[in-house]
Amino acid sequence: MYCTKCGAEIANCAKFCSACGSPASVPVLSSDMHSSGLAQERTISSDCSRAGNASSNIQMSFLPIALHIKTGMLKREAAAMLINAQTTVFIMIGNDLYKKIVQDKGAGIEGGYFKKTAGMMTAFRDFVYGLSHVTLSEISAQYPAARVWNTQDIGKLRIHLDYDAANEQYSNEYTFDLHVGNERYKGALDPNMNFGEIKKPLKEMLGRKFQQ
């Protein structure tokens, strides 16, 4: 099928367009999605359930986390982490798609300056929430480079506020540090993620491996 917004060809099972980030269909969010950050389980369409490996088509409930991962001395790339007690999925979204996602939500130029709207500020977080509604086979089709791990293989996940000793104050950014085997990802939570809402479920899933 094709994206109704940009015309790009997308998989029949896709819930969003990998070219512009627009939803292929309206996502069904649980009533407490925005208060808990947890996605509601929902039934897969018959077309999707017949595609690919059966285990990869099981609809699971994930805790979605919007991130900005450090990829260079000063460079960060948008990313998403979906985690439950059994499985963790890590997706590098990339800044090109990130810009399309957020600029579609009302960004504009005002008085020669780039202006962000309220919708733009939360657009990426909402996009990541939407990812937690798709199956593993759908994620693999849209993001072939996505990493999938057994959650118990995570060595450490640390999310915390840095303390600036020189200015004697905490930063307003939650840093992110993930260790899985020989892989390590560092960066920060998206500013619109509420750490207080994801802290408890992460602690329950990871135990002492989760640090703050």
Side-chain angles (χ1 to χ4, degrees):
M1 66 180 181
Y2 296 88
C3 175
T4 56
K5 181 173 182 180
C6 72
E9 185 173 3
I10 55 179
N12 289 333
C13 295
K15 301 301 182 295
F16 54 88
C17 174
S18 58
C20 71
S22 298
S25 59
V26 178
V28 180
L29 302 182
S30 62
S31 59
D32 61 348
M33 164 63 107
H34 293 285
S35 61
S36 68
L38 289 169
Q40 176 189 23
E41 291 183 288
R42 70 179 174 83
T43 304
I44 313 160
S45 70
S46 58
D47 287 342
C48 293
S49 61
R50 288 194 295 266
N53 183 285
S55 62
S56 66
N57 280 280
I58 297 173
Q59 185 71 33
M60 292 182 270
S61 179
F62 284 106
L63 176 72
I65 305 175
L67 302 164
H68 298 274
I69 296 300
K70 189 174 181 180
T71 58
M73 186 66 70
L74 299 174
K75 185 178 180 182
R76 288 182 177 181
E77 294 276 342
M81 180 174 173
L82 311 174
I83 182 171
N84 64 25
Q86 291 78 39
T87 305
T88 298
V89 182
F90 193 88
I91 308 168
M92 291 301 294
I93 302 297
N95 288 340
D96 289 341
L97 179 55
Y98 172 80
K99 290 175 183 177
K100 292 179 181 178
I101 293 167
V102 299
Q103 289 179 8
D104 185 49
K105 297 298 182 179
I109 304 296
E110 184 174 291
Y113 293 94
F114 186 70
K115 181 184 178 182
K116 292 182 179 180
T117 67
M120 180 181 177
M121 296 296 286
T122 59
F124 180 58
R125 181 202 65 186
D126 294 343
F127 175 81
V128 173
Y129 281 173
L131 287 177
S132 60
H133 288 272
V134 301
T135 64
L136 292 181
S137 60
E138 292 174 308
I139 289 174
S140 296
Q142 294 288 331
Y143 298 98
R147 308 289 290 126
V148 181
W149 305 299
N150 184 319
T151 297
Q152 297 311 307
D153 289 339
I154 292 176
K156 182 179 79 171
L157 172 60
R158 188 180 187 207
I159 302 176
H160 66 105
L161 282 174
D162 276 334
Y163 183 72
D164 183 349
N167 295 311
E168 298 184 341
Q169 63 182 11
Y170 285 96
S171 71
N172 58 0
E173 178 180 80
Y174 281 93
T175 60
F176 175 93
D177 189 3
L178 173 68
H179 297 244
V180 186
N182 294 325
E183 299 178 68
R184 186 176 184 183
Y185 300 88
K186 299 185 71 174
L189 293 185
D190 184 82
N192 290 286
M193 288 299 303
N194 187 326
F195 177 65
E197 293 173 353
I198 64 174
K199 177 172 62 175
K200 182 178 179 179
L202 285 174
K203 184 67 176 178
E204 291 173 348
M205 287 185 275
L206 297 174
R208 293 182 179 179
K209 295 179 181 179
F210 174 63
Q211 302 173 12
Q212 52 183 301

